[in-house]
Amino acid sequence: MPPRIVVVGGGAAGIGAAGSARQVDPDARITVYTEYEDAAYSPCGIPYVHGREIPDFQSLFLQGKEAYRQAGIDIHYERRVTGLDLGDRLVHVDGEASVPFDRLVVASGFEYADPGVPGTDLEGLYYVKNIRRAIEWDKVLDDVRVAVVLDASPLGLEMVTALAHRGIETHVVDAHPWALAEVADPDIMQPVEESWAELGVKTHFNTRVEALVGDGKVRAVRTSEGELPANIVVVCTHKQPNNRLAKQAGLAIGSTGGIVVDERMATSADGVFAAGDCVELPHGVTNIPVQGLSGSHAYAQGKVAGANAAAGDRTYRPVYVPWGMVAGKWMIGGASFGETLATALGIPFVMGSAEGISRARYYPGVKKVRVKLLAEPGSLRLIGGQLVGQEGIKERADFLAMAIRMGVTLEDLAWMENVYSPPIGALNEPMAVAAQNGLASVRG
Amino acid sequence: MVTFSQWLRGNSERYLLESAQAEMARRYLNRPGPPAEPGLGPLFWRRVFVPVYPRLPWRLRRAVIQALPGSHRRSWQAREPSRRPPV
């Protein structure tokens, strides 16, 4: 009898799991439950449709529903899973009979942290997540004059830039002293802040939200620095793991609130796997669990979880977290951690930084690239890095993550080989120069 | 319902980060750190935990972090990079 594999969640992890399970076992009976109207689209693209960089929402869909039917993946849309019975191997679904499973993949995603202030029940609060709601909100944005974004988180950065591109007076309120302060260093973010100012964005850092004010519909945000009028409020608070089902079922939960998994994405219960924003994973440098990573992490984890649910044998690995995004007119990115987080954790480091260029100095369109590298004292192994520039940031962030994983040292990087071709690369690779500067500072 | 390990991690992370952000904001932006939240709880974390933490030996800090329940305590095989030429 082919195994019954049930996947809870239709996001990147859930769809990755279903597709991978199908590849490993062509006969498996695979069912996916999602509470939304659609699956397999890119929610990460939503801010760019709002900002008019992408012309329509349709291009965010990866595949039509028919493609999944043809692949033998039975997706149940608008179906909320209300409970997991791991003893009797049943999934309880609202509006359906209980569904038996042999193996289960939990990919229940994330929830935005509650802003924790009065007024969160008002209309006019936009939580960017579901594409259907985004389509409705996109029409609303046509009539919005002033928007307030709560928290300069990764999504917050994208939404601030998108709303400003849309010509909306945009305010961002954040309790930290600079944007993306839990991830990026202030010197990396400073150009973004300047670029936002050029776009007319009003930043309110070191500012706490005290209440959302309105009569049925939000009309202002009360902060520690005064009241800001608002037609809408975009809530971009921390992405918390949606662990409600997992907790109720008795799966082990870690210190981040994410589901505990091993390298096979197996949870604490036999035959139950988990992937995506609902799990936590060890960081490759610190071995401290982290959660709430990117869509590419979720998809890759889903592939591992789905393969193993179909009796395959795949492993995931500790994460070095390459990240990157566009904010204002800048690209920012990095890998592992930066100076701020290393300082907070008390991790000893030496640092090297440099400002280089992305192409030959004489080639049209040449852009600055600022690189900052952190290395372990003594061994000089890379432990982190951050970048800001206007091209080539994503590729360098990916490279740095792999370099850290492979134990590359400042010495290795300082004398690395690099592509030199005037339209695509400068004679001196900025990462190599940063490493040379790091070596010079260590050796005096 | 937040477990003890979530409470410990959530608070320690928050206040250590807040302190590091204040230092970095002064150094790079000539800007103050996040405003202090009133109350006895925040006062304890800011005035007791944050100054004591960096004085603890790294091994002890690491041992406490590793002792918390989580994915890091399950099986994760690190593949050591090979320095041997492939052919």
Side-chain angles (χ1 to χ4, degrees), chain A residues 121 128 177 216 280-281:
Chain A
D121 55 342
V128 183
E280 63 168 38
L281 303 152

Side-chain angles (χ1 to χ4, degrees), chain A residues 229-253:
Chain A
N231 302 126
I232 65 160
V233 172
V234 186
V235 182
C236 300
T237 48
H238 179 67
K239 286 163 67 177
Q240 292 182 329
N242 179 0
N243 60 17
R244 185 181 52 81
L245 289 169
K247 270 168 93 169
Q248 281 172 358
L251 295 179
I253 303 292

Side-chain angles (χ1 to χ4, degrees), chain A residues 175-178 181-182 185-187 190 193 205-206 208 247 253-257 259-263 266-268 280-282 286-289 315-318 339-341 343-347 351 372 406-407 412, chain B residues 1-3 5-7 9-10 13-14 16-18 20-25 27-29 31-37 53-54 58 61-62 65-66 68-83:
Chain A
H176 301 105
W178 67 88
E182 293 185 350
D185 291 338
D187 49 331
Q190 200 163 17
E193 216 174 296
F205 295 123
N206 282 335
R208 294 191 190 283
K247 270 168 93 169
I253 303 292
S255 62
T256 65
I259 300 170
V260 172
V261 290
D262 66 12
E263 62 190 349
T267 70
S268 56
E280 63 168 38
L281 303 152
T286 62
N287 202 34
I288 296 173
T315 54
Y316 198 68
R317 296 170 70 185
E339 189 184 356
T340 309
L341 198 55
T343 303
L345 290 171
I347 295 171
M351 207 164 68
K372 200 173 161 184
M406 299 310 289
D412 295 326
Chain B
M1 180 68 180
V2 173
T3 63
S5 67
Q6 287 168 15
W7 173 83
R9 174 168 176 157
E13 194 171 271
R14 174 181 170 178
L16 287 171
L17 203 50
E18 198 177 277
Q21 285 167 351
E23 187 184 326
M24 301 283 286
R27 189 186 308 160
Y28 286 104
L29 305 174
R31 200 179 277 178
E37 211 182 334
Y53 176 85
W58 173 244
R61 280 184 265 161
R62 191 176 172 83
I65 292 167
Q66 300 309 315
L68 293 175
S71 295
H72 62 302
R73 299 189 62 186
R74 302 200 67 203
S75 163
W76 289 88
Q77 285 184 2
R79 278 179 231 165
E80 286 303 313
S82 168
R83 295 271 174 170

Side-chain angles (χ1 to χ4, degrees), chain A residues 108-239:
Chain A
S108 47
F110 74 93
E111 294 170 322
Y112 289 108
D114 186 336
V117 296
T120 51
D121 55 342
L122 292 170
E123 281 180 36
L125 271 55
Y126 179 19
Y127 295 82
V128 183
K129 195 172 187 183
N130 176 298
I131 196 162
R132 299 284 176 126
R133 301 295 85 73
I135 292 167
E136 292 164 11
W137 275 102
D138 199 62
K139 292 175 188 141
V140 173
L141 290 177
D142 287 336
D143 299 319
V144 167
R145 199 182 58 78
V146 187
V148 175
V149 176
L150 300 191
D151 284 9
S153 61
L155 174 68
L157 261 65
E158 292 172 337
M159 284 302 295
V160 165
T161 304
L163 295 170
H165 282 170
R166 187 82 172 242
I168 295 169
E169 182 185 321
T170 306
H171 297 252
V172 55
V173 181
D174 193 294
H176 301 105
W178 67 88
L180 207 64
E182 293 185 350
V183 178
D185 291 338
D187 49 331
I188 295 295
M189 295 307 294
Q190 200 163 17
V192 173
E193 216 174 296
E194 289 163 6
S195 161
W196 276 351
E198 287 167 20
L199 284 168
V201 172
K202 312 275 194 309
T203 54
H204 306 268
F205 295 123
N206 282 335
T207 304
R208 294 191 190 283
V209 175
E210 294 176 343
L212 306 175
V213 183
D215 185 14
K217 186 178 182 309
V218 72
R219 64 170 171 75
V221 176
R222 194 164 70 232
T223 77
S224 53
E225 305 300 314
E227 199 165 284
L228 300 169
N231 302 126
I232 65 160
V233 172
V234 186
V235 182
C236 300
T237 48
H238 179 67
K239 286 163 67 177

